Coordinates of all heavy atoms in Angstrom, one line a residue:
E158 N -20.3 52.4 -30.5 CA -21.0 52.3 -29.2 C -21.6 50.9 -29.2 O -21.8 50.2 -30.2 CB -22.2 53.3 -29.1 CG -21.7 54.7 -29.1 CD -21.2 55.2 -27.8 OE1 -21.1 54.4 -26.8 OE2 -21.0 56.4 -27.6
D159 N -22.0 50.5 -28.0 CA -22.6 49.1 -27.8 C -23.9 48.9 -28.7 O -24.2 47.8 -29.0 CB -23.0 48.9 -26.3 CG -21.7 48.7 -25.5 OD1 -20.6 48.8 -26.0 OD2 -21.8 48.5 -24.3
D160 N -24.6 50.0 -28.9 CA -25.8 49.9 -29.7 C -25.5 49.9 -31.2 O -26.4 49.8 -32.1 CB -26.8 51.0 -29.4 CG -26.3 52.4 -29.8 OD1 -25.2 52.5 -30.4 OD2 -27.0 53.4 -29.6
G161 N -24.3 49.9 -31.6 CA -23.9 49.8 -33.0 C -23.7 51.2 -33.7 O -23.3 51.2 -34.8
S162 N -24.1 52.3 -33.0 CA -23.9 53.6 -33.6 C -22.5 54.0 -33.5 O -21.8 53.5 -32.6 CB -24.9 54.6 -33.0 OG -24.5 54.7 -31.6
F163 N -22.1 55.0 -34.3 CA -20.7 55.5 -34.1 C -20.7 56.3 -32.9 O -21.6 57.1 -32.5 CB -20.3 56.4 -35.3 CG -19.9 55.6 -36.5 CD1 -20.8 55.4 -37.6 CD2 -18.7 54.9 -36.6 CE1 -20.4 54.6 -38.7 CE2 -18.3 54.2 -37.6 CZ -19.2 54.0 -38.7
R164 N -19.6 56.2 -32.1 CA -19.4 57.0 -30.9 C -19.3 58.5 -31.3 O -18.6 58.8 -32.3 CB -18.1 56.6 -30.2 CG -17.7 57.4 -29.0 CD -16.4 57.0 -28.5 NE -16.3 55.6 -28.1 CZ -16.7 55.2 -26.9 NH1 -17.2 56.0 -26.0 NH2 -16.7 53.9 -26.5
K165 N -20.0 59.3 -30.6 CA -20.0 60.7 -30.9 C -18.7 61.4 -30.4 O -18.8 62.3 -29.5 CB -21.3 61.4 -30.5 CG -22.6 60.7 -30.9 CD -22.7 60.7 -32.4 CE -23.9 59.9 -32.9 NZ -23.8 58.4 -32.7
S166 N -17.6 60.9 -30.8 CA -16.3 61.5 -30.4 C -16.0 62.8 -31.2 O -16.6 63.0 -32.2 CB -15.2 60.5 -30.6 OG -15.0 60.4 -32.0
P167 N -15.1 63.6 -30.8 CA -14.7 64.7 -31.6 C -14.3 64.3 -33.0 O -14.6 65.1 -34.0 CB -13.6 65.4 -30.8 CG -13.7 64.9 -29.4 CD -14.4 63.6 -29.5
Y168 N -13.7 63.2 -33.2 CA -13.3 62.7 -34.5 C -14.6 62.6 -35.4 O -14.7 63.0 -36.5 CB -12.6 61.4 -34.5 CG -11.2 61.4 -33.9 CD1 -11.0 60.7 -32.7 CD2 -10.2 62.1 -34.6 CE1 -9.7 60.7 -32.2 CE2 -9.0 62.1 -34.0 CZ -8.7 61.4 -32.9 OH -7.4 61.5 -32.3
Y169 N -15.6 61.8 -34.8 CA -16.8 61.6 -35.5 C -17.6 62.9 -35.8 O -18.1 63.1 -36.9 CB -17.6 60.5 -34.8 CG -18.9 60.2 -35.6 CD1 -18.9 59.3 -36.6 CD2 -20.1 60.8 -35.2 CE1 -20.0 59.0 -37.3 CE2 -21.3 60.5 -35.9 CZ -21.2 59.6 -37.0 OH -22.4 59.3 -37.7
N170 N -17.7 63.7 -34.7 CA -18.5 64.9 -34.8 C -17.9 65.8 -35.9 O -18.7 66.5 -36.5 CB -18.5 65.6 -33.4 CG -19.4 64.8 -32.5 OD1 -20.2 63.9 -32.9 ND2 -19.2 65.1 -31.2
L171 N -16.6 65.9 -36.0 CA -16.1 66.8 -37.0 C -15.9 66.2 -38.4 O -16.1 66.8 -39.4 CB -14.7 67.4 -36.5 CG -14.9 68.4 -35.4 CD1 -13.5 68.7 -34.7 CD2 -15.5 69.7 -35.9
L172 N -15.4 64.9 -38.4 CA -15.0 64.4 -39.7 C -16.0 63.3 -40.2 O -15.8 62.8 -41.3 CB -13.6 63.7 -39.6 CG -12.5 64.7 -39.1 CD1 -11.2 63.9 -38.9 CD2 -12.3 65.8 -40.2
G173 N -17.0 62.9 -39.3 CA -17.9 61.8 -39.7 C -17.1 60.5 -39.8 O -15.9 60.5 -39.4
E174 N -17.8 59.5 -40.3 CA -17.1 58.2 -40.2 C -15.9 58.1 -41.1 O -15.1 57.1 -41.0 CB -18.1 57.0 -40.5 CG -18.9 57.2 -41.8 CD -19.9 56.1 -42.0 OE1 -19.4 55.0 -42.4 OE2 -21.1 56.3 -41.8
E175 N -15.7 59.1 -41.9 CA -14.5 59.1 -42.8 C -13.2 59.1 -42.1 O -12.2 58.7 -42.6 CB -14.6 60.3 -43.7 CG -13.8 60.1 -45.0 CD -13.4 61.5 -45.7 OE1 -14.1 62.5 -45.4 OE2 -12.4 61.5 -46.4
F176 N -13.3 59.5 -40.8 CA -12.0 59.6 -40.0 C -11.4 58.2 -39.9 O -10.1 58.1 -39.9 CB -12.2 60.2 -38.6 CG -12.6 59.3 -37.5 CD1 -11.7 58.6 -36.8 CD2 -14.0 59.2 -37.2 CE1 -12.2 57.7 -35.7 CE2 -14.4 58.3 -36.2 CZ -13.5 57.6 -35.5
I177 N -12.2 57.2 -40.0 CA -11.7 55.8 -39.9 C -10.9 55.4 -41.2 O -9.8 54.9 -41.1 CB -12.8 54.8 -39.6 CG1 -13.5 55.3 -38.3 CG2 -12.3 53.4 -39.5 CD1 -14.7 54.4 -37.8
E178 N -11.5 55.8 -42.3 CA -10.9 55.5 -43.6 C -9.5 56.3 -43.7 O -8.5 55.7 -44.1 CB -11.7 56.0 -44.7 CG -13.0 55.2 -44.9 CD -14.0 55.9 -45.8 OE1 -13.6 56.6 -46.7 OE2 -15.2 55.8 -45.5
I179 N -9.6 57.6 -43.3 CA -8.3 58.4 -43.3 C -7.3 57.7 -42.5 O -6.1 57.6 -42.9 CB -8.6 59.8 -42.8 CG1 -9.7 60.5 -43.6 CG2 -7.3 60.6 -42.7 CD1 -10.1 61.9 -43.0
A180 N -7.7 57.2 -41.3 CA -6.7 56.6 -40.4 C -6.1 55.4 -41.0 O -4.8 55.2 -41.0 CB -7.3 56.3 -39.1
F181 N -6.9 54.5 -41.5 CA -6.4 53.2 -42.1 C -5.5 53.5 -43.3 O -4.5 52.9 -43.5 CB -7.5 52.2 -42.4 CG -7.9 51.4 -41.2 CD1 -8.8 52.0 -40.3 CD2 -7.4 50.2 -41.0 CE1 -9.2 51.2 -39.2 CE2 -7.8 49.4 -39.8 CZ -8.7 50.0 -38.9
R182 N -6.0 54.5 -44.2 CA -5.2 54.8 -45.4 C -3.8 55.3 -45.0 O -2.8 54.9 -45.5 CB -6.0 55.8 -46.2 CG -5.3 56.1 -47.6 CD -6.2 57.0 -48.5 NE -7.5 56.4 -48.7 CZ -8.6 57.0 -48.3 NH1 -8.6 58.1 -47.6 NH2 -9.8 56.4 -48.5
T183 N -3.8 56.3 -44.1 CA -2.6 56.9 -43.7 C -1.6 55.9 -43.1 O -0.4 55.9 -43.4 CB -2.8 58.1 -42.8 OG1 -3.9 58.9 -43.3 CG2 -1.6 59.0 -42.6
A184 N -2.1 55.1 -42.2 CA -1.3 54.1 -41.6 C -0.6 53.1 -42.6 O 0.5 52.8 -42.5 CB -2.1 53.3 -40.5
H185 N -1.4 52.7 -43.6 CA -0.9 51.8 -44.6 C 0.2 52.5 -45.4 O 1.2 51.9 -45.7 CB -2.0 51.3 -45.4 CG -1.6 50.3 -46.5 ND1 -0.9 49.2 -46.1 CD2 -1.7 50.3 -47.8 CE1 -0.6 48.5 -47.2 NE2 -1.0 49.2 -48.3
E186 N -0.1 53.7 -45.8 CA 0.9 54.4 -46.6 C 2.3 54.6 -45.8 O 3.3 54.5 -46.3 CB 0.4 55.8 -47.0 CG -0.6 55.7 -48.1 CD -1.4 57.0 -48.3 OE1 -1.1 58.1 -47.6 OE2 -2.3 57.0 -49.1
A187 N 2.1 54.8 -44.5 CA 3.3 55.0 -43.7 C 4.1 53.8 -43.4 O 5.3 53.8 -43.3 CB 2.9 55.7 -42.3
D188 N 3.5 52.6 -43.4 CA 4.2 51.3 -43.2 C 3.4 50.2 -43.9 O 2.6 49.6 -43.3 CB 4.4 51.0 -41.7 CG 5.2 49.7 -41.6 OD1 5.6 49.1 -42.6 OD2 5.6 49.3 -40.5
P189 N 3.7 50.0 -45.2 CA 2.9 49.1 -46.0 C 3.0 47.6 -45.5 O 2.2 46.8 -45.8 CB 3.5 49.2 -47.4 CG 4.3 50.5 -47.4 CD 4.7 50.7 -46.0
D190 N 4.0 47.4 -44.7 CA 4.2 46.0 -44.2 C 3.4 45.7 -42.9 O 3.3 44.6 -42.4 CB 5.7 45.7 -44.0 CG 6.4 45.7 -45.3 OD1 5.8 45.3 -46.3 OD2 7.6 46.1 -45.3
A191 N 3.0 46.8 -42.2 CA 2.4 46.6 -40.9 C 0.9 46.1 -41.0 O 0.2 46.5 -41.9 CB 2.4 47.9 -40.1
E192 N 0.6 45.2 -40.1 CA -0.9 44.8 -40.1 C -1.7 45.9 -39.4 O -1.1 46.7 -38.6 CB -1.0 43.5 -39.3 CG -0.4 42.3 -39.9 CD -0.8 41.0 -39.3 OE1 -1.2 41.1 -38.1 OE2 -0.8 40.0 -39.9
L193 N -2.9 46.0 -39.8 CA -3.8 47.1 -39.3 C -5.1 46.5 -38.7 O -5.7 45.7 -39.3 CB -4.1 48.1 -40.4 CG -2.9 48.7 -41.2 CD1 -3.4 49.7 -42.2 CD2 -1.9 49.4 -40.3
Y194 N -5.4 47.0 -37.5 CA -6.5 46.5 -36.7 C -7.5 47.5 -36.3 O -7.1 48.7 -36.0 CB -6.0 45.7 -35.5 CG -4.7 45.0 -35.6 CD1 -3.6 45.2 -34.8 CD2 -4.6 43.9 -36.6 CE1 -2.5 44.5 -34.9 CE2 -3.5 43.2 -36.7 CZ -2.4 43.5 -35.9 OH -1.2 42.8 -36.0
Y195 N -8.8 47.1 -36.1 CA -9.8 47.9 -35.4 C -10.0 47.2 -34.1 O -10.1 45.9 -34.0 CB -11.1 47.9 -36.2 CG -12.2 48.6 -35.4 CD1 -12.1 50.0 -35.3 CD2 -13.1 47.9 -34.6 CE1 -13.0 50.6 -34.4 CE2 -14.0 48.5 -33.8 CZ -14.0 49.9 -33.7 OH -14.8 50.5 -32.9
N196 N -10.0 47.9 -33.0 CA -10.0 47.4 -31.6 C -11.2 48.0 -30.8 O -11.4 49.2 -30.9 CB -8.7 47.8 -31.0 CG -8.4 47.0 -29.7 OD1 -8.5 45.8 -29.7 ND2 -8.0 47.7 -28.6
D197 N -11.9 47.1 -30.0 CA -13.0 47.7 -29.2 C -13.4 46.7 -28.1 O -12.9 45.6 -28.1 CB -14.2 47.9 -30.2 CG -15.0 49.1 -29.7 OD1 -15.1 49.4 -28.5 OD2 -15.6 49.8 -30.6
Y198 N -14.2 47.2 -27.2 CA -14.6 46.4 -26.1 C -16.1 46.0 -26.3 O -16.7 46.4 -27.3 CB -14.5 47.1 -24.7 CG -15.2 48.5 -24.6 CD1 -16.6 48.5 -24.3 CD2 -14.6 49.7 -24.7 CE1 -17.3 49.7 -24.2 CE2 -15.3 50.9 -24.6 CZ -16.6 50.9 -24.3 OH -17.3 52.1 -24.2
S199 N -16.6 45.2 -25.4 CA -18.0 44.7 -25.5 C -18.4 44.1 -26.8 O -19.5 44.3 -27.4 CB -19.0 45.8 -25.1 OG -18.9 46.2 -23.8
M200 N -17.4 43.4 -27.4 CA -17.6 42.9 -28.8 C -18.6 41.7 -28.9 O -18.9 41.3 -30.0 CB -16.2 42.5 -29.4 CG -15.3 43.7 -29.5 SD -15.9 44.7 -30.9 CE -14.5 44.5 -32.0
A201 N -19.0 41.2 -27.7 CA -20.0 40.1 -27.8 C -21.4 40.7 -28.0 O -22.3 39.9 -28.2 CB -19.9 39.3 -26.5
K202 N -21.6 42.0 -27.9 CA -22.9 42.6 -28.0 C -23.3 42.5 -29.5 O -22.6 43.0 -30.3 CB -22.9 44.0 -27.6 CG -22.6 44.2 -26.1 CD -23.7 45.0 -25.4 CE -23.7 44.7 -23.9 NZ -23.2 45.6 -23.0
P203 N -24.5 41.9 -29.8 CA -24.9 41.7 -31.2 C -24.9 43.0 -32.0 O -24.4 42.9 -33.1 CB -26.3 41.1 -31.0 CG -26.3 40.5 -29.7 CD -25.5 41.3 -28.8
S204 N -25.4 44.1 -31.5 CA -25.4 45.3 -32.3 C -24.0 45.8 -32.6 O -23.7 46.3 -33.7 CB -26.2 46.4 -31.6 OG -27.2 45.9 -30.8
K205 N -23.1 45.6 -31.6 CA -21.8 46.1 -31.8 C -21.1 45.2 -32.9 O -20.4 45.6 -33.7 CB -21.0 46.1 -30.5 CG -19.7 46.9 -30.5 CD -19.5 47.4 -29.2 CE -18.3 48.3 -29.1 NZ -18.2 49.0 -27.9
R206 N -21.3 43.9 -32.7 CA -20.7 42.9 -33.6 C -21.1 43.2 -35.0 O -20.3 43.3 -35.9 CB -21.3 41.5 -33.2 CG -20.9 40.4 -34.2 CD -21.9 39.2 -34.1 NE -21.9 38.7 -32.7 CZ -22.9 38.2 -32.1 NH1 -24.1 38.1 -32.7 NH2 -22.9 37.9 -30.8
D207 N -22.5 43.5 -35.3 CA -22.9 43.8 -36.6 C -22.3 45.0 -37.2 O -21.9 45.1 -38.3 CB -24.5 43.9 -36.6 CG -25.2 42.6 -36.3 OD1 -24.5 41.6 -36.3 OD2 -26.4 42.6 -36.0
A208 N -22.2 46.0 -36.3 CA -21.6 47.3 -36.7 C -20.1 47.2 -37.1 O -19.7 47.7 -38.1 CB -21.8 48.4 -35.7
V209 N -19.4 46.4 -36.3 CA -18.0 46.1 -36.6 C -17.9 45.4 -37.9 O -17.0 45.7 -38.8 CB -17.3 45.4 -35.4 CG1 -15.9 45.0 -35.8 CG2 -17.2 46.3 -34.2
C210 N -18.7 44.4 -38.2 CA -18.7 43.7 -39.4 C -19.0 44.6 -40.6 O -18.3 44.6 -41.6 CB -19.7 42.5 -39.4 SG -19.2 41.1 -38.4
R211 N -20.0 45.5 -40.4 CA -20.2 46.5 -41.5 C -19.0 47.3 -41.7 O -18.7 47.6 -42.9 CB -21.4 47.4 -41.0 CG -22.8 46.9 -41.3 CD -23.8 48.0 -41.3 NE -23.9 48.7 -40.0 CZ -24.6 48.2 -39.0 NH1 -25.3 47.1 -39.0 NH2 -24.6 49.0 -37.9
L212 N -18.3 47.8 -40.7 CA -17.2 48.6 -40.8 C -16.1 47.9 -41.6 O -15.4 48.4 -42.5 CB -16.7 49.0 -39.4 CG -15.4 49.8 -39.4 CD1 -15.6 51.2 -40.1 CD2 -14.9 50.1 -38.0
I213 N -15.8 46.6 -41.2 CA -14.8 45.8 -41.9 C -15.1 45.7 -43.4 O -14.2 46.0 -44.3 CB -14.6 44.4 -41.3 CG1 -14.4 44.4 -39.9 CG2 -13.6 43.6 -42.1 CD1 -14.5 43.1 -39.2

Side-chain angles (χ1 to χ4, degrees):
E158 298 279 8
D159 290 0
D160 66 3
S162 63
F163 281 102
R164 180 188 294 280
K165 307 297 173 289
S166 71
Y168 289 116
Y169 181 81
N170 290 342
L171 285 170
L172 303 171
E174 52 181 285
E175 205 203 334
F176 85 87
I177 302 179
E178 292 163 35
I179 300 171
F181 276 83
R182 186 174 303 113
T183 313
H185 182 55
E186 283 166 8
D188 183 356
D190 295 327
E192 291 193 338
L193 305 181
Y194 320 124
Y195 175 76
N196 193 51
D197 215 325
Y198 61 79
S199 296
M200 294 287 246
K202 297 234 154 107
S204 329
K205 195 150 186 169
R206 173 200 304 145
D207 294 346
V209 172
C210 285
R211 275 198 301 277
L212 176 65
I213 303 167

